[in-house]
Amino acid sequence: MKFLGYLLISMIMTATSSAQDKYVTERNHMVKSQLEARDITDPATLKAMREVMRHEFVPEFLRHLAYGDGPLSIGYEQTISQPYIVAYMTQELKLEPNDRVLEIGTGSGYQAAILAKLVDTVYTIEIVEELGLKAIETFKRLGYANIQTKIGDGYHGWPEVAPFDAIIVTAAVKEIPPALIEQLADGGRLIIPVGPKTFQRHLVLVTKKGDKIKKQKRLPVAFVPFTRH
Ligand code: SAH
């Protein structure tokens, strides 16, 4: 009887780990074919993309598509970005282990989880309450202890905990919110999708050195719009 019990337990454990293994394989394939095959070369970014369980951040009925080469719906008319865009934006921020990073647009929490693997602390703000609460629960469930989440409008940044070594905005703006540039530390980097219309947007990389603010246009992108209450 005891033996049968052990056998059953070990069969269940094998089944569970092979289900996880399926995702490990899919994740490694995603990194190889979608990231390394393009221009993602930063080892730390690639490692985080290999580790974070993207399928845990998407609605259950879309899980089988979690490692595909595109964005996915997360409800409330919002999306989790394409893995390549998540990796590209992360790589552009040139993060260091002691950095403190602000994200505007928590959404599913996936981008914040990638950042959390690379830096000391991630502060993230989400305007849709339901999404913010869900992300908080996901961070807790998966053990991301270095992410602080706030529900509200990120337009004014998070002055109480500024400055930040890096800021990432994952919703598209027409103009860069001035508070975000102000809240960058000296040497800080900000990446943000900017443009007047859905198909006329680019990622812009802003760097701050002393009084000097440099803006560089990067990839053309499509992003959900930045909203205000
Ligand atoms: N980084 C997310 C992508 C989310 S899509 C992820 O990895 O899943 C962009 C998110 O920005 C949406 O959830 C949207 O509700 C949020 N957003 C839009 N305007 C905002 C604002 N003013 N302040 C905070 N969040 C905002």
Side-chain angles (χ1 to χ4, degrees):
M1 211 40 218
K2 218 170 178 184
F3 173 71
L4 265 182
Y6 285 137
L7 191 68
L8 200 63
I9 288 169
S10 87
M11 278 167 68
I12 291 169
M13 284 175 67
T14 312
T16 318
S17 66
S18 66
Q20 280 170 354
D21 267 348
K22 184 182 152 219
Y23 287 120
V24 170
T25 310
E26 283 194 39
R27 223 165 23 250
N28 286 337
H29 181 70
M30 168 190 90
V31 169
K32 221 172 162 184
S33 63
Q34 300 171 30
L35 311 183
E36 288 174 331
R38 294 179 178 140
D39 53 356
I40 308 300
T41 54
D42 172 47
T45 301
L46 290 167
K47 182 166 183 276
M49 296 294 294
R50 253 183 235 112
E51 286 175 359
V52 176
M53 297 193 280
R54 185 170 161 94
H55 62 276
E56 295 284 352
F57 294 83
V58 304
E60 212 152 334
F61 75 100
L62 292 176
R63 244 170 217 187
H64 62 294
L65 302 174
Y67 297 99
D69 193 12
L72 290 172
S73 167
I74 53 170
Y76 309 92
E77 293 174 29
Q78 305 304 328
T79 56
I80 174 173
S81 305
Q82 179 189 7
Y84 172 69
I85 296 296
V86 172
Y88 182 91
M89 292 174 85
T90 306
Q91 175 169 273
E92 285 290 293
L93 288 175
K94 299 212 166 26
L95 299 167
E96 298 286 344
N98 289 329
D99 282 353
R100 296 162 70 256
V101 180
L102 173 67
E103 177 193 34
I104 313 291
T106 317
S108 69
Y110 177 67
Q111 172 77 69
I114 293 287
L115 297 169
K117 292 267 184 198
L118 300 175
V119 300
D120 183 74
T121 313
V122 178
Y123 298 88
T124 182
I125 308 178
E126 171 55 51
I127 201 166
V128 176
E129 185 178 15
E130 292 86 345
L131 287 174
L133 292 174
K134 179 115 201 287
I136 290 170
E137 185 217 289
T138 308
F139 298 145
K140 208 168 160 199
R141 179 164 50 84
L142 301 177
Y144 287 94
N146 61 338
I147 304 177
Q148 297 205 26
T149 313
K150 182 161 111 173
I151 293 166
D153 179 1
Y155 185 82
H156 299 289
W158 196 332
E160 297 83 357
V161 286
F164 304 98
D165 303 294
I167 301 180
I168 178 169
V169 181
T170 63
V173 295
K174 293 196 170 95
E175 315 262 351
I176 301 177
L180 301 186
I181 295 182
E182 275 159 33
Q183 290 173 27
L184 272 184
D186 193 14
R189 295 82 58 199
L190 158 68
I191 191 140
I192 180 167
V194 187
K197 292 192 188 131
T198 305
F199 295 104
Q200 296 173 17
R201 288 181 181 135
H202 282 79
L203 286 177
V204 174
L205 179 69
V206 182
T207 48
K208 185 176 187 176
K209 280 209 180 91
D211 297 340
K212 271 205 185 141
I213 306 293
K214 193 164 106 186
K215 293 180 191 166
Q216 295 165 275
K217 216 170 169 181
R218 293 289 202 246
L219 284 189
V221 283
F223 261 89
V224 294
F226 196 92
T227 55
R228 307 291 312 277
H229 278 315

